[in-house]
Amino acid sequence: MSRNGNERPDAPDPEVVPLANRRQFRAEEKLRIVEEADTCTEPGEIGTLLRREGIYSSHLSRWRRARDRGQLDALSPGKRGPKPASDAGLVREVARLQRENERLQARLDQAEAIIEVQKKLSHLLGPSFSGNESKGRS
């Protein structure tokens, strides 16, 4: 009661109620719901699914488009930690090694050609030692 005896009507609560947080779905949940919706065959099953999950049909169609574009798979958690070195460095290293291999192969071919010429020349000229030199060493 107030001082004058009249009842005071209830005053509104001065506390501010926080706004409700929006519900957020992880990629796994979205995929699960979309796959479950894809298995629905009977009329009304999708509506029941939407009511049970508390989502609108627009969510379902948006998530289906994202899945078809491969965006839902990209949202799934990846491996943590430092990323492996890119393949660009490996490609450069392979190219460098191939050039070096070609250079060394050319040198080998040249050396083999020189050895062949030396063999033929040795065959044509015969032994390089004369008979006198061999007698003196014995």
Side-chain angles (χ1 to χ4, degrees):
M1 278 202 194
S2 64
R3 279 196 270 191
N4 60 8
N6 295 335
E7 286 189 23
R8 199 163 106 184
D10 291 332
D13 188 11
E15 188 163 336
V16 177
V17 179
L19 291 176
N21 291 335
R22 289 183 119 176
R23 185 172 171 195
Q24 294 181 350
F25 295 91
R26 294 189 323 257
E28 297 87 23
E29 292 176 296
K30 291 177 184 180
L31 280 173
R32 179 188 57 81
I33 294 171
V34 168
E35 288 171 357
E36 191 173 341
D38 289 344
T39 61
C40 294
T41 56
E42 298 295 318
E45 278 187 280
I46 291 181
T48 304
L49 172 69
L50 295 175
R51 284 188 296 278
R52 184 182 74 225
E53 297 293 337
I55 60 174
Y56 294 103
S57 60
S58 61
H59 288 118
L60 189 59
S61 59
R62 192 175 315 125
W63 294 346
R64 280 180 174 157
R65 282 194 304 270
R67 178 197 57 188
D68 294 342
R69 287 191 306 257
Q71 292 176 339
L72 288 183
D73 294 332
L75 292 177
S76 58
K79 185 178 176 185
R80 295 180 57 156
K83 305 295 182 239
S86 67
D87 290 340
L90 293 176
V91 169
R92 283 194 301 268
E93 179 70 11
V94 167
R96 184 188 66 78
L97 291 173
Q98 285 176 338
R99 285 191 307 270
E100 182 180 359
N101 191 6
E102 290 171 2
R103 181 182 60 81
L104 293 173
Q105 186 65 43
R107 287 187 66 189
L108 176 64
D109 291 342
Q110 182 182 16
E112 287 176 342
I114 290 171
I115 291 171
E116 283 298 315
V117 169
Q118 287 175 345
K119 284 181 184 177
K120 289 179 183 177
L121 186 61
S122 175
H123 242 4
L124 288 174
L125 297 177
S128 61
F129 299 108
S130 65
N132 294 338
E133 292 175 337
S134 62
K135 287 180 184 175
R137 291 190 180 184
S138 306

